[in-house]
Amino acid sequence: MSSIHQSHDQNAALQAGMNTAKATAIHQQPSAPLVLLLATGAGLSVASLYYSQPMLGILAKDIGVSNLQIGYVPTLTQLGYALGILLLAPLGDRHDRRNIILIKAGLLVVALLAMASSHSLGILLMASLAIGLTATMAQDIVPAAATLAHESRRGKVVGTVMTGLLMGILMSRVVSGFVAEQFGWRSMFVLAALGIALIAVAIWHGLPHFVPTTTMSYRALLASLLDLVRRHGKLRRAALAQGLLAMGFSGFWSTLAVMLHAEPFHMGSAAAGAFGLAGAVGALAAPLAGHLADKRGPELVTKLGAGLTAVSFAIMNLSPWFPPTAQLWLLGIGTVGFDLGVQSTLIAHQTIVYGIDNGARSRLNAVLFVGMFIGMAAGATLGSALLAQWGWIGVTSMATVTALAALAVRFWKLPAGQA
């Protein structure tokens, strides 16, 4: 009888412990307004990378350069972002993330205003590089959200912030296309600078300070990135696969405005930006991939995402055999598909990478995104060259091949014992 009572007491204690843990988890969650602030900050900062894309045709005409030369604008922006993640993101483990976010926000405002006042290709390119470097504040905001959230609900909080980031990427094209056509392209960058300034004030008031997690020197932090790449096969495969998907993603978006500006469409920047609405459908659906990754595993989601991306770009290869109106429908359908595929795969890759080493989450995230944005920079350059040489079919063919290569990487079996 005593054993029954003992068992009952143990169960009661266990249940009480679970209830306490649950209450603690709820208590440690960042407030809904703070999560919304972080999601908005991530979205606005990363949007700075993409404002130029729908108006490249207008930019080329206004500055007086060729379509090939103006293609270096998104290339340098993406390259700057990759360099910023590599050289600056690891500092989040060494210094107060709140201070880093605020410093980058101030510098991003300056870079955006420099972009707005550019009158030559050289100034435009330097400002583009600076925007890429400082827009990495988004990659400080996401780890900040993960740190504020209790482990039991970290995925939900990070997923919400990532949704804001993805929406910033896609809706930036809609907004910039409209603003550029109605008020001029310079107005868009002034408006973007104002948005970053306002979000910086809100973050200054609402975001708490963070305690550094390491005392490693800057050189040691950078060296640890290479060590992580050497030791973890899962990290290498995630960075490579996401980089390959990013090549096609960036190649498409960096050339779409130029393609639509030419025959047979003769469409302005607003039309190119409107395709961001189709991409936003994919971004909104992408959080479902996180739920599927929890239930069936992130490995499956990476394969499904890469496969959907390849099929979506392959559909666009059929465009030359259809009239212009049907071509636009194919573009819209393909855009929804490949954006969903790319964003779903990214969320799954983050799930894989964050599980490798909890103590190095910022640096693991840096490696993943460096691979991704190197792919984006390469895709922007290659896409512009292919469009000039082979037309739109060259761009979509490249994107199809890189998506298939990413799918092959995901099916490639790691050696036994690789972590």
Side-chain angles (χ1 to χ4, degrees):
M1 191 74 174
S2 60
S3 62
I4 295 175
H5 285 294
Q6 186 178 11
S7 176
H8 182 271
D9 292 341
Q10 290 174 343
N11 290 337
L14 179 61
Q15 184 63 43
M18 293 173 63
N19 290 337
T20 301
K22 183 177 180 181
T24 301
I26 294 173
H27 178 71
Q28 291 183 2
Q29 289 309 300
S31 65
L34 179 55
V35 174
L36 179 61
L37 171 63
L38 293 173
T40 305
L44 286 177
S45 55
V46 81
S48 303
L49 303 173
Y50 303 98
Y51 289 132
S52 66
Q53 291 185 359
M55 38 188 185
L56 288 176
I58 297 175
L59 275 170
K61 185 177 180 180
D62 188 54
I63 301 296
V65 297
S66 68
N67 290 336
L68 181 60
Q69 288 175 309
I70 205 66
Y72 290 123
V73 168
T75 297
L76 281 179
T77 305
Q78 303 296 349
L79 185 59
Y81 198 75
L83 287 173
I85 293 173
L86 177 64
L87 300 176
L88 302 178
L91 293 174
D93 291 336
R94 180 67 178 81
H95 301 282
D96 183 356
R97 281 197 186 96
R98 178 180 180 273
N99 292 338
I100 292 174
I101 291 169
L102 291 174
I103 290 170
K104 286 184 178 179
L107 294 174
L108 179 55
V109 169
V110 173
L112 287 166
L113 292 176
M115 191 79 167
S117 60
S118 299
H119 286 88
S120 68
L121 182 62
I123 302 273
L124 204 65
L125 295 179
M126 286 190 290
S128 298
L129 181 65
I131 287 172
L133 286 166
T134 53
T136 53
M137 65 178 278
Q139 296 305 320
D140 297 298
I141 290 174
V142 176
T147 301
L148 291 172
H150 189 275
E151 185 177 359
S152 63
R153 295 190 180 182
R154 183 170 292 143
K156 181 179 180 181
V157 173
V158 172
T160 302
V161 175
M162 280 300 297
T163 298
L165 187 149
L166 298 175
M167 289 301 295
I169 292 174
L170 295 167
M171 294 306 294
S172 62
R173 301 184 180 95
V174 181
V175 174
S176 66
F178 175 79
V179 172
E181 194 158 286
Q182 298 299 318
F183 307 103
W185 65 270
R186 298 181 192 277
S187 300
M188 183 63 247
F189 290 106
V190 173
L191 185 63
L194 177 61
I196 295 297
L198 291 175
I199 206 69
V201 172
I203 287 174
W204 182 66
H205 282 288
L207 188 65
H209 289 275
F210 293 83
V211 178
T213 59
T214 181
T215 57
M216 295 171 66
S217 67
Y218 180 65
R219 179 179 293 183
L221 280 173
L222 294 184
S224 69
L225 294 176
L226 294 175
D227 184 57
L228 289 170
V229 172
R230 281 195 302 264
R231 288 193 291 121
H232 300 294
K234 288 183 178 180
L235 177 61
R236 294 194 299 271
R237 184 159 67 159
L240 176 58
Q242 198 65 45
L244 287 167
L245 289 175
M247 284 184 68
F249 181 93
S250 179
F252 175 89
W253 286 114
S254 62
T255 57
L256 178 66
V258 177
M259 185 274 289
L260 291 177
H261 195 69
E263 295 182 356
F265 303 109
H266 299 291
M267 292 181 172
S269 59
F275 275 89
L277 292 173
V281 174
L284 288 173
L288 297 176
H291 180 70
L292 180 60
D294 291 336
K295 297 295 184 181
R296 301 291 299 276
E299 294 284 349
L300 174 63
V301 177
T302 62
K303 296 182 178 79
L304 292 175
L308 177 59
T309 303
V311 171
S312 299
F313 280 124
I315 288 174
M316 296 185 193
N317 288 330
L318 303 175
S319 294
W321 288 273
F322 289 87
T325 302
Q327 289 183 37
L328 292 176
W329 277 102
L330 284 177
L331 281 175
I333 294 170
T335 301
V336 172
F338 84 73
D339 266 308
L340 175 57
V342 171
Q343 310 304 351
S344 297
T345 308
L346 174 59
I347 291 171
H349 277 146
Q350 285 181 297
T351 302
I352 293 170
V353 165
Y354 286 161
I356 292 173
D357 184 352
N358 292 340
R361 188 170 284 126
S362 291
R363 282 163 282 166
L364 291 165
N365 186 68
V367 172
L368 174 63
F369 275 85
V370 164
M372 175 178 165
F373 279 90
I374 287 175
M376 283 198 166
T381 302
L382 186 57
S384 296
L386 289 171
L387 184 68
Q389 184 68 32
W390 300 102
W392 184 242
I393 192 69
V395 177
T396 55
S397 296
M398 178 271 289
T400 304
V401 170
T402 54
L404 289 173
L407 183 60
V409 169
R410 291 314 317 173
F411 273 101
W412 174 43
K413 298 293 184 182
L414 289 173
Q418 280 279 9

